[in-house]
């Protein structure tokens, strides 16, 4: 396949561009075959933001073809960068020349479509001393404030004001600081890291997030000339440099996508090889899935999965990396809904990430919510029904539930799915699933 991911211009109009599109799944087909993991959305977004720090051209490879990426490219255009994207033979590349950034504002129309727009805050304040970003409000999964981002940047010498729905942040020059994060927030760690690489002096971020996506960002920044140590640990040390050069960087595989396909095999039954992945990034999820009865072997960059029969109930608590990821909680819940016994899934990261529960109940699940925990009594089967996707990972959970259900499941509002899964229905159909996108 050959083509262009994103012509310059405004992608804002694309949200819900086909609001009537839905997925129709006839459940009950085992999955067999090989599926390739795409590049990680949550690494690609901060890495695209980091290109704003460079005065030379950056070429980013293995960028997944997703709606969120389109929106982010649109934002880079809005800021005056020269950005182009292409994809050929499953390798997609985005080239960004941010040598002459002409803007500093992330408008509401884009921030409302993609919360991760907040990731331009750190690079813009570091590079040009000013950023004006529409305040991301709450979303389907929680309130999601940005107080830690702002507090960290303030400690580095920035001043900010929130008015008319925007945060306006300025500095005459950032300086190094010692910053302790009350919570190891992922995008906050990324914003502060990107701000610190061009700040004067040394910055230490304590209780930093340790996700593989942060390690990928730190390595990319080092490749551009940044001086960073401690990536992957809870303490990041950054010695500011005067300027950063260009880079050619390939995004790590999407661990959440790979985990979703492992769980798809758990839901539908089957034998899969998931390629182009980093199995160690999924250690916590794999150990829970093995405890539930799935056979999972890892070799090189492949994960081999076998699942048949009924799984056993296992309790899970979501935690920052290396704990069980919140982004796999909804998908794991599908397996526990159909497992033998009682399980408790506790969501510790987001306060409202159980929107999928009501939809799973429509398929026959037995779930009770108590505070931050879902108490699940396994049932023997799901029966297909119309359901509505409410956010990205809830959409994936409903796809897995549809694969497992007897009869037909129709999922509406699937634009949520397109934000974070590349060609999901094509990948599943190639594995033997009966899944179609209908536009009517
Ligand atoms: N939080 C604060 N104040 C802050 C920042 C965060 O209170 O200033 C709280 C949040 O409200 C939340 C918790 O800290 O309760 C953790 O949120 P975090 O900031 O770590 O999440 P994020 O950076 O906004 C990223 C991913 C999410 C993923 C989370 C947790 C990106 C672009 N997004 O969000 O991905 O769920 O980390 O791992 O990297 C997804 O892909 O579906 C997705 C939502």
């Amino acid at each position: 396949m050959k083509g262009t991911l994103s012509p310059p211009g405004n992608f804002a109009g694309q949200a819900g561009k086909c609001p009537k599109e839905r997925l129709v799944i006839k459940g009950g087909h085992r999955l067999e075959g090989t599926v390739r993991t795409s590049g990680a959305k949550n690494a690609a977004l901060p890495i695209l933001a980091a290109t704003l720090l460079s005065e030379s051209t950056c070429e980013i490879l293995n960028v997944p073809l997703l709606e969120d990426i389109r929106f982010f490219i649109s934002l880079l255009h809005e800021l005056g960068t020269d950005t182009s994207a292409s994809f050929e033979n499953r390798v997609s590349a985005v080239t960004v020349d941010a040598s002459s950034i002409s803007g500093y504002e992330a408008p509401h129309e884009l921030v409302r479509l993609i919360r991760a727009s907040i990731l331009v805050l750190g690079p813009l304040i570091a590079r040009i001393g000013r950023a004006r970003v529409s305040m991301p409000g709450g979303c389907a999964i929680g309130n999601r404030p940005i107080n830690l981002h702002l507090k960290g940047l303030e400690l580095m010498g920035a001043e900010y004001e929130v008015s008319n729905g925007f945060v306006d942040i300025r500095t005459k020059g950032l300086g190094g600081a010692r910053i302790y994060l009350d919570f190891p927030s992922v995008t906050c760690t990324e914003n502060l890291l990107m701000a610190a690489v061009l700040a004067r002096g040394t910055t230490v971020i304590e209780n930093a997030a340790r996700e593989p996506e942060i390690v990928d960002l730190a390595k990319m920044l080092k490749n551009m000339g940044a001086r960073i140590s401690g990536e992957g640990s809870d303490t990041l040390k950054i010695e500011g440099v005067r300027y950063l050069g260009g880079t050619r960087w390939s995004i790590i595989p999407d661990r959440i996508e790979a985990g979703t396909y492992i769980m798809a095999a758990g839901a539908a039954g089957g034998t899969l090889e998931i390629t182009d992945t980093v199995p160690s990034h999924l250690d916590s999820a794999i150990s829970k899935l093995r405890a539930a009865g799935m056979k999972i072997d890892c070799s090189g960059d492949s994960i081999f999965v076998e699942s048949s029969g009924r799984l056993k109930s296992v309790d899970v608590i979501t935690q920052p990396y290396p704990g069980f990821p919140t982004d796999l909680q909804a998908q794991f819940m599908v397996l526990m809904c159909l497992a033998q016994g009682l399980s408790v899934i506790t969501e510790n990261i987001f306060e409202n990430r159980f929107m999928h529960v009501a939809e799973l109940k429509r398929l026959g699940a037995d779930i009770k919510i108590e505070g931050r925990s879902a108490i699940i009594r396994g049932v023997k089967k799901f029966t297909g029904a119309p359901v509505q996707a409410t956010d990205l990972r809830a959409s994936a959970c409903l796809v897995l539930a549809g694969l497992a259900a007897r009869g037909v499941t129709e999922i509406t509002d699937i634009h949520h799915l397109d934000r974070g899964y590349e060609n999901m229905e094509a990948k599943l159909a190639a594995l033997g699933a009966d899944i179609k996108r209908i536009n009517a």
Side-chain angles (χ1 to χ4, degrees):
M1 194 156 39
K2 190 171 180 172
T4 307
L5 171 65
S6 159
N10 180 12
F11 279 88
Q14 295 229 352
K17 111 190 120 151
C18 294
K20 291 198 177 142
E21 274 192 354
R22 54 194 203 276
L23 283 180
V24 179
I25 305 171
K26 281 192 197 131
H29 297 272
R30 281 175 66 80
L31 303 180
E32 306 281 345
T34 301
V35 59
R36 176 189 175 270
T37 314
S38 299
K41 166 179 83 78
N42 289 346
L45 293 168
I47 281 175
L48 287 173
T51 63
L52 291 168
L53 291 161
S54 171
E55 287 171 34
S56 310
T57 302
C58 295
E59 191 186 5
I60 313 301
L61 306 173
N62 201 30
V63 179
L65 303 170
L66 301 169
E67 288 299 284
D68 270 13
I69 299 294
R70 286 178 193 271
F71 295 143
F72 206 86
I73 287 174
S74 197
L75 177 56
L76 293 177
H77 282 301
E78 188 80 24
L79 296 171
T81 66
D82 185 359
T83 302
S84 62
S86 67
F87 57 98
E88 196 169 345
N89 297 329
R90 301 186 311 181
V91 177
S92 50
V94 177
T95 305
V96 186
D97 176 355
S99 52
S100 48
I101 315 175
S102 54
Y104 54 81
E105 181 167 315
H108 181 62
E109 303 81 69
L110 278 168
V111 178
R112 111 188 138 74
L113 293 174
I114 170 163
R115 275 197 117 261
S117 305
I118 197 68
L119 283 166
V120 299
L121 207 58
L124 286 178
I125 187 84
R127 175 89 192 281
I128 56 173
R130 175 137 193 222
R132 190 167 183 269
V133 177
S134 175
M135 282 293 280
C139 71
I141 60 177
N143 285 327
R144 305 183 75 179
I146 57 162
N147 56 315
L148 301 176
H149 304 232
L150 297 176
K151 193 177 134 202
L153 292 171
E154 198 172 36
L155 286 169
M156 292 172 71
E159 289 176 4
Y160 69 89
E161 190 191 339
V162 179
S163 62
N164 305 109
F166 278 80
V167 54
D168 202 337
I169 184 158
R170 298 166 196 243
T171 185
K172 291 206 170 75
L174 293 178
R178 192 167 202 96
I179 304 167
Y180 177 86
L181 301 184
D182 291 343
F183 184 88
S185 157
V186 174
T187 47
C188 173
T189 302
E190 291 164 349
N191 252 333
L192 299 181
L193 174 61
M194 290 188 280
V197 290
L198 289 182
R200 211 173 314 113
T202 302
T203 299
V204 177
I205 307 173
E206 292 173 327
N207 200 28
R210 296 190 275 163
E211 272 67 3
E213 292 76 18
I214 290 166
V215 176
D216 203 30
L217 171 66
K219 284 183 175 168
M220 177 259 194
L221 289 167
K222 285 197 299 206
N223 200 262
M224 291 160 78
R227 298 178 66 189
I228 303 166
S229 59
E231 64 271 25
S233 79
D234 63 3
T235 306
L236 287 169
K237 188 171 172 198
I238 305 116
E239 284 168 50
V241 296
R242 274 170 176 261
Y243 89 104
L244 294 180
T247 182
R248 188 164 197 263
W249 194 257
S250 186
I251 303 287
I252 55 166
D254 195 319
R255 64 195 164 100
I256 303 302
E257 190 203 22
T260 301
Y261 286 109
I262 300 178
M263 294 186 200
T271 309
L272 293 188
E273 179 184 354
I274 297 155
T275 67
D276 299 82
T277 188
V278 181
S280 62
H281 290 171
L282 280 163
D283 276 351
S284 59
I286 288 176
S287 80
K288 286 290 174 185
L289 291 163
R290 283 184 179 140
M294 289 185 71
K295 189 169 178 306
I296 303 175
D297 293 313
C298 305
S299 172
D301 65 0
S302 280
I303 302 176
F304 298 86
V305 185
E306 235 182 276
S307 188
S308 56
R310 208 166 166 198
L311 298 178
K312 294 184 289 248
S313 290
V314 178
D315 295 344
V316 150
I317 301 176
T318 64
Q319 282 169 334
Y321 189 85
F324 191 96
T326 172
D327 291 343
L328 285 173
Q329 176 258 109
Q331 301 89 314
F332 190 78
M333 189 178 289
V334 173
L335 304 189
M336 292 304 99
C337 285
L338 294 167
Q340 176 113 40
L342 194 74
S343 58
V344 181
I345 296 184
T346 305
E347 172 55 58
N348 259 341
I349 308 294
F350 293 110
E351 66 274 20
N352 193 28
R353 211 173 199 182
F354 281 143
M355 301 283 280
H356 43 285
V357 167
E359 303 304 303
L360 289 175
K361 283 183 177 179
R362 292 174 52 73
L363 302 174
D366 181 350
I367 309 168
K368 205 166 92 189
I369 300 292
E370 278 187 13
R372 282 185 169 252
S373 294
I375 297 144
I376 305 160
R377 191 175 297 278
V379 295
K380 283 200 172 137
K381 63 175 171 58
F382 280 159
T383 49
V387 286
Q388 186 185 0
T390 48
D391 66 79
L392 169 56
R393 306 304 170 186
S395 321
C397 133
L398 295 176
V399 171
L400 269 47
L403 296 175
R406 295 195 187 160
V408 176
T409 299
E410 271 196 31
I411 311 174
T412 52
D413 285 354
I414 55 165
H415 56 273
H416 291 295
L417 190 73
D418 298 333
R419 297 185 55 170
Y421 287 91
E422 192 175 55
N423 287 330
M424 193 182 205
E425 72 265 24
K427 286 187 177 183
L428 285 170
L431 299 174
D434 187 340
I435 177 168
K436 286 189 183 65
R437 184 178 288 245
I438 308 256
N439 183 6

